Amino acid sequence: MRHTVLVAITAAIGNMLRGWDITTITSIALYIKREFHLEASPVMEVLLVAMSVFGTAIITTLYGWVSDVVGRRPMLIASSHLYFAGGLIIMLWSRNFYVLLLGRLLEVLGVGLAAMFIPV
């Protein structure tokens, strides 16, 4: 019973990461729009927020095959590296919007991997 509760809490925390990611990007989209002068181009703002859908679609399509080839533990480690590199290194120091999009994609891939592999 104790092991089951621990697994359920771990899975909930892993999936909460995805919700946290979506919430933070939608709340700071206003500041990003101002910083990168995207007032005339709302499509770019939507693309930044919708990157989570694109990344999650890629991950959910490939995660079974990748898990069979590489294994779950290395993919969980890779997800933490992608989340760290995309969020802290690339997005924090991005000079233009396209680098920000690249960092967002890497971060979303890391979040999608964690959301898929933690419950498994």
Side-chain angles (χ1 to χ4, degrees):
M1 175 70 176
R2 189 171 169 193
H3 184 265
T4 306
V5 171
L6 182 65
V7 169
I9 289 171
T10 305
I13 290 172
N15 283 319
M16 189 177 71
L17 183 65
R18 182 160 156 42
W20 176 267
D21 176 60
I22 292 171
T23 304
T24 56
I25 198 65
T26 54
S27 63
I28 64 169
L30 179 65
Y31 301 109
I32 290 173
K33 183 168 54 172
R34 223 177 303 150
E35 178 72 26
F36 291 106
H37 309 292
L38 300 175
E39 289 86 9
S41 175
V43 173
M44 293 302 216
E45 179 186 1
V46 170
L47 182 63
L48 180 71
V49 175
M51 193 63 72
S52 63
V53 176
F54 298 140
T56 305
I58 292 168
I59 291 299
T60 55
T61 305
L62 299 176
Y63 90 97
W65 176 77
V66 171
S67 175
D68 290 341
V69 172
V70 179
R72 286 191 315 263
R73 185 170 293 178
M75 290 313 297
L76 279 173
I77 293 169
S79 76
S80 64
H81 288 292
L82 282 172
Y83 189 67
F84 178 77
L88 190 62
I89 297 173
I90 296 176
M91 283 175 37
L92 182 66
W93 301 106
S94 61
R95 293 281 185 192
N96 61 19
F97 185 73
Y98 299 107
V99 175
L100 182 71
L101 276 179
L102 174 68
R104 175 83 176 131
L105 180 64
L106 288 177
E107 183 230 356
V108 165
L109 290 176
V111 168
L113 280 174
M116 288 292 141
F117 285 114
I118 285 176
V120 173

